[in-house]
Amino acid sequence: MSYPNKIFLEENEMPTQWYNITADLPEPMPPALHPGTHEPATAEDFAPLFPKALIEQEMTTQRYVDIPGEVMDVYKLWRPTPLFRARRLEKLLDTPAKIFYKYEGVSPAGSHKPNTAVPQVYYNAMEGIKKLTTETGAGQWGSSLAFACAQFGLECEIWQVAASYRSKPYRKTMMEIWGGKVHPSPSQVTEYGRSLLALDNDHPGSLGIAISEAVSEAVADENTRYALGSVLNHVLMHQTIIGEEALLQMAKIGETPDVLVGCTGGGSNFGGLAFPFMREKFKGKMNPVIRCVEPTACPTLTKGEYRYDYGDTAGMTPMMKMHTLGHNFIPEPIHAGGLRYHGMAPLVSHVYELGLVDAMSIGQKECFAAGIMFAKSEGIVPAPEPTHAIAAAIREALACKETGEERTILTALCGHGHLDLASYEKYLHGEMQDLDLDQKAIDEALRSVPQVDR
Ligand SMILES: *Cc1c(COP(=O)(O)O)cnc(C)c1O
């Protein structure tokens, strides 16, 4: 069958429901735990952090959830997103493999993150919440939440990891354009931030620390809630719009993936693409290998332990059973800032434990080389995070070249790299290094994770 490079959907063909994979898991998810008592967390435990509708989505095992009309209206600013066949990359690699990518960089913030920012702000607005707080690393999530808050008239206050606050000033400007208020983290605004700055005035910060600051501000005010851009069940569910669209697009051209690869930071773009395909796999309709790709400097799935840990550094969030490097592990400052989180989504960790997905890690130099091959052939400059998925797709395509197999590879190009050019510049000038994993630091961080007998 011949078909064009870009496979589009019409607005009226957009899926109208998110998919909740917890309905179809062969074993139920371990519950989140209260950080103090270690008993299963209740809806009330989450109430200071999130609106009721999102807590319900976090805990439900209902298979499908309707996307509200007002959320659909905002989605339609950029959705449905195109699915591309990467024919020019295939040619460059001289591979018999077919490579497809679902492009999420067409969103206002330039990544997949608005897919969950928009419904999160919508449900908060419906419950009368006036302000949201959050953390951001490279600035992708902060800018997405600021954009979404602007759509529904909420205030947005953001703690940006100090190292990227200093090195990525344009993301801060984007957040401010959409009305966000941005602090470097650690900040003078919170008690925890002040305590860290007292020890080190130049503290580089981390995602875990920024989460602690944003959470402490949210719980202190009854009209304020907190929003998390990855990791949680409801976030991964909102992102399934990616995979549901991709399924329809692949069906239009009569293709099914043999291999599906995605980069995993907290697991949301991966889960969003993979879970609808996993459902089809459960039904016996296709049989793709599904693979997570993480950086060698922050190998949560491949080197972390599967156990209960906190989502933040100060230990204020409920504990989640997940692959973790320890909540106070601070990864090396690799350029893929969005992949530098100590934990992995409980859902992705669970399907990994069940053997439903596999995982690999790749160093950043190979990833940037892959990103440049992609840019030269397909034109789009990828964000540093999805270059991990591209590098894995290229490895797979080159393996097909050896064996002559015509495998179909699907990945998500979850963001463009227009605000990450400084890291490409480092690579092009030969200044980039593969950062070694500090196993001693991981061992030490894991020792500080409390033992939970579950
Ligand atoms: C935030 C981000 C990631 C990492 O988050 P996931 O939840 O693993 O998707 C990856 N890529 C981009 C472009 C991001 O903005």
Side-chain angles (χ1 to χ4, degrees):
M1 183 160 145
S2 85
Y3 48 81
N5 284 339
K6 302 183 290 299
I7 299 106
F8 288 111
L9 293 176
E10 300 293 335
E11 276 183 16
N12 63 12
E13 293 175 296
M14 247 176 91
T16 56
Q17 295 181 313
W18 295 299
Y19 169 56
N20 177 12
I21 195 172
T22 58
D24 292 321
L25 291 172
E27 279 179 40
M29 290 284 293
L33 303 181
H34 186 280
T37 63
H38 295 179
E39 288 302 313
T42 61
E44 289 92 89
D45 294 332
F46 285 110
L49 295 178
F50 304 115
K52 288 192 187 67
L54 290 175
I55 297 169
E56 209 173 293
Q57 289 183 3
E58 188 62 21
M59 299 180 145
T60 184
T61 53
Q62 185 184 317
R63 184 169 288 111
Y64 293 100
V65 173
D66 288 340
I67 305 175
E70 286 180 68
V71 172
M72 284 295 262
D73 288 345
V74 182
Y75 272 180
K76 284 176 185 171
L77 290 174
W78 74 95
R79 305 207 72 84
T81 63
L83 177 76
F84 287 83
R85 166 98 186 258
R87 286 200 171 93
R88 297 175 79 88
L89 176 62
E90 292 167 16
K91 198 162 166 203
L92 180 70
L93 298 171
D94 188 25
T95 175
K98 299 177 203 171
I99 304 173
F100 290 89
Y101 63 95
K102 178 75 167 154
Y103 186 41
E104 292 294 311
V106 292
S107 83
S111 76
H112 63 293
K113 297 240 168 57
N115 295 334
T116 183
V118 172
Q120 289 194 45
V121 174
Y122 166 80
Y123 290 115
N124 275 285
M126 288 300 103
E127 295 182 26
I129 298 303
K130 302 288 182 238
K131 178 165 126 185
L132 287 176
T133 66
T134 198
E135 74 294 335
T136 195
Q140 288 275 18
W141 168 242
S143 51
S144 301
L145 194 70
F147 154 73
C149 281
Q151 304 312 304
F152 295 99
L154 266 72
E155 281 179 63
C156 187
E157 198 165 344
I158 301 150
W159 277 262
Q160 182 173 13
V161 176
S164 60
Y165 180 92
R166 292 193 275 265
S167 66
K168 300 200 167 172
Y170 294 136
R171 281 270 173 219
K172 172 175 165 268
T173 307
M174 271 180 94
M175 293 183 248
E176 289 173 345
I177 287 171
W178 282 312
K181 187 170 170 193
V182 190
H183 310 284
S185 168
S187 73
Q188 295 290 354
V189 181
T190 68
E191 203 181 309
Y192 184 54
R194 286 191 295 273
S195 75
L196 295 172
L197 287 174
L199 297 173
D200 177 2
N201 203 27
D202 270 337
H203 201 299
S206 73
L207 270 178
I209 292 167
I211 295 175
S212 299
E213 291 200 272
V215 164
S216 69
E217 284 294 290
V219 299
D221 178 41
E222 62 171 342
N223 292 317
T224 302
R225 293 287 181 278
Y226 164 72
L228 188 59
S230 185
V231 178
L232 299 177
N233 300 348
H234 66 268
V235 177
L236 273 60
M237 185 182 77
H238 298 153
Q239 292 293 354
T240 59
I241 186 80
I242 303 172
E244 294 291 10
E245 283 184 8
L247 265 175
L248 296 175
Q249 286 161 312
M250 296 290 278
K252 273 197 175 186
I253 54 170
E255 299 280 7
T256 49
D258 299 304
V259 186
L260 191 156
V261 291
C263 67
T264 46
S268 74
N269 88 84
F270 171 81
L273 177 69
F275 289 169
F277 286 87
M278 209 179 276
R279 174 190 66 217
E280 300 306 302
K281 189 171 172 173
F282 290 148
K283 288 189 208 161
K285 297 212 171 142
M286 53 179 72
N287 194 23
V289 172
I290 303 179
R291 182 167 299 143
C292 306
V293 191
E294 54 187 17
T296 44
C298 190
T300 324
L301 284 169
T302 51
K303 295 272 172 71
E305 287 182 12
Y306 183 55
R307 58 189 286 185
Y308 274 101
D309 196 4
Y310 303 108
D312 70 318
T313 306
M316 295 183 216
T317 66
M319 299 184 85
M320 294 173 287
K321 186 132 186 209
M322 61 182 177
H323 274 264
T324 179
L325 298 167
H327 59 276
N328 51 28
F329 175 72
I330 299 186
E332 292 292 327
I334 51 165
H335 292 284
L339 306 182
R340 288 181 67 224
Y341 182 60
H342 69 269
M344 181 54 63
L347 267 173
V348 173
S349 301
H350 187 66
V351 295
Y352 180 64
E353 282 301 304
L354 294 175
L356 300 171
V357 301
D358 57 40
M360 68 192 295
S361 71
I362 304 184
Q364 64 178 350
K365 275 164 75 176
E366 180 179 340
C367 295
F368 273 87
I372 283 172
M373 274 175 106
F374 188 89
K376 279 186 173 163
S377 53
E378 292 296 312
I380 301 169
V381 179
E385 293 84 1
T387 62
H388 290 72
I390 295 167
I394 288 176
R395 280 194 191 181
E396 188 70 31
L398 291 176
C400 289
K401 187 173 165 178
E402 294 295 311
T403 60
E405 266 181 294
E406 226 183 89
R407 307 190 86 189
T408 300
I409 303 165
L410 171 64
T411 189
L413 182 55
C414 55
H416 68 63
H418 296 176
L419 292 176
D420 302 289
L421 296 182
S423 51
Y424 276 95
E425 189 174 277
K426 283 227 166 68
Y427 177 80
L428 289 170
H429 292 179
E431 291 163 16
M432 187 173 286
Q433 285 166 6
D434 277 329
L435 297 163
D436 280 337
L437 178 65
D438 190 346
Q439 186 61 46
K440 259 170 52 195
I442 294 178
D443 293 343
E444 206 177 291
L446 282 170
R447 267 199 295 278
S448 67
V449 179
Q451 285 295 337
V452 175
D453 297 327
R454 276 178 186 274

